[in-house]
Amino acid sequence: VQLQASGGGLVQAGGSLRLSCAASGRALSNYALGWFRQGPGKERELVAVINKGGRFTDYGDPVKGRFTVSRDNAKNMGYLQMNSLKPEDTAVYYCAAKSNAILSGVYTNAADYNYWGPGTQVTVSS
């Protein structure tokens, strides 16, 4: 499966963005989906993950209550709604897919994901 994240950009603190992850090549419903980010000088970290069916989710502590992950398997799309953005949310955001996932599985370790898109830059100004 090939992944392409989009929707990044420059936004003021307190604003919102919606990232999209478009999948091609295979049905996204075959994969657990994750969003990760890497800020300047930082290690890659968990943002949000969602199981194959879209029922179960998990979030990194810094984004809980502000971000919402979702997916539309019929459209082969994943989404990350980001609200109340902060300057520390500035990073390159990546969507990733994990094959051989169990139906209810949510996977928070980046090493579990075997397909990655090229990332989209999100910059939050203060």
Side-chain angles (χ1 to χ4, degrees):
V1 66
Q2 293 80 46
L3 304 172
Q4 181 66 57
S6 62
L10 175 64
V11 63
Q12 288 189 334
S16 298
L17 282 175
R18 188 193 195 203
L19 303 185
S20 298
C21 178
S24 61
R26 290 200 66 188
L28 192 60
S29 58
N30 291 316
Y31 302 88
L33 187 64
W35 289 92
F36 296 84
R37 68 186 183 186
Q38 187 165 14
K42 298 180 180 179
E43 295 185 352
R44 187 169 296 190
E45 67 173 350
L46 166 71
V47 179
V49 294
I50 188 167
N51 76 309
K52 290 198 296 187
R55 180 177 179 184
F56 302 106
T57 61
D58 200 1
Y59 296 87
D61 286 342
V63 308
K64 284 181 179 176
R66 299 188 296 123
F67 291 12
T68 303
V69 61
S70 62
R71 63 193 297 163
D72 185 340
N73 287 338
K75 295 182 179 179
N76 248 20
M77 294 290 295
Y79 304 100
L80 183 68
Q81 178 66 43
M82 306 186 296
N83 298 329
S84 302
L85 282 161
K86 305 175 181 180
E88 51 264 45
D89 293 319
T90 294
V92 177
Y93 284 71
Y94 300 89
C95 63
K98 172 183 166 48
S99 60
N100 300 314
I102 62 173
L103 180 59
S104 61
V106 288
Y107 303 88
T108 58
N109 189 338
D112 287 330
Y113 291 80
N114 42 353
Y115 299 95
W116 291 80
T120 185
Q121 175 71 46
V122 171
T123 303
V124 184
S125 63
S126 57

